[in-house]
Amino acid sequence: MARPPLVAVCGPGEAGAEEERLAQEVGRLLAERGAVVLCGGLGGVMAAAARGASDAGGLCVGLLPGEDAEAAAPAVGLAIPTGLGELRNGVLVRACAGVVAIGGAYGTLSEIAFALRLGRPVVGIGTWELHRAGAAAPDPGVRVVGSPAEAVDAVLTAIATQTRPRRGTVTE
């Protein structure tokens, strides 16, 4: 039995209305395409992605930083309290097959960095642009797109076509 892809939707807990709109649409489109949405389980982009997935009949799994499952956003279908604080960002990225980053604060930046380090595809809408020292152009690891539909197409295509490293390995 094939399992659905796990796609993390990352972004700020204190998001603006446009970021929330984008995240809700990404969550909806991922669910409609059969993916399970993973997020940090709280507010802002995370809550909006959960709403979108739930509205489409899909599942959103929230990896919470604290120890109280009741702290999860209402649309999170499965809340997992980790007690890890921000360290749960690494668990989130390790668990997923790809990441959609929307907007972003420093937590989002950490999730992008972990994903790139682990070889997970990262697609961004209005998120961090990373430049290596001395490089004129942004790092190509984050594929920048302009819409939720493009983001979902890009991340699901990348997941379907990538050659994943052996479980437990780290790539540069």
Side-chain angles (χ1 to χ4, degrees):
M1 173 173 89
R3 292 192 172 101
L6 305 176
V7 179
V9 179
C10 303
E14 294 183 19
E18 179 62 7
E19 290 171 328
E20 289 188 15
R21 183 192 70 76
L22 293 167
Q24 186 165 346
E25 182 70 2
V26 166
R28 181 185 68 78
L29 292 170
L30 284 168
E32 287 176 353
R33 303 254 317 251
V36 172
V37 173
L38 276 79
C39 71
L42 300 176
V45 162
M46 299 170 279
R51 275 193 312 275
S54 177
D55 289 350
L59 175 64
C60 179
V61 176
L63 296 179
L64 304 169
E67 297 179 359
D68 181 10
E70 296 304 313
V76 169
L78 176 60
I80 301 174
T82 68
L84 295 172
E86 290 80 19
L87 296 176
R88 65 85 154 79
N89 294 357
V91 175
L92 177 75
V93 172
R94 276 223 173 253
C96 75
V99 173
V100 176
I102 300 168
Y106 291 124
T108 309
L109 180 59
S110 75
E111 290 160 328
I112 291 169
F114 286 134
L116 295 176
R117 174 85 174 151
L118 293 169
R120 306 295 196 262
V122 179
V123 178
I125 305 173
T127 194
W128 293 88
E129 288 187 21
L130 308 177
H131 292 262
R132 291 182 187 262
D139 186 293
V142 178
R143 178 168 177 198
V144 178
V145 298
S147 73
E150 287 177 282
V152 170
D153 284 342
V155 77
L156 292 178
T157 297
I159 290 168
T161 61
Q162 77 179 354
T163 304
R164 296 266 318 248
R166 258 189 17 248
R167 192 170 278 271
T169 63
V170 177
T171 59
E172 290 288 355

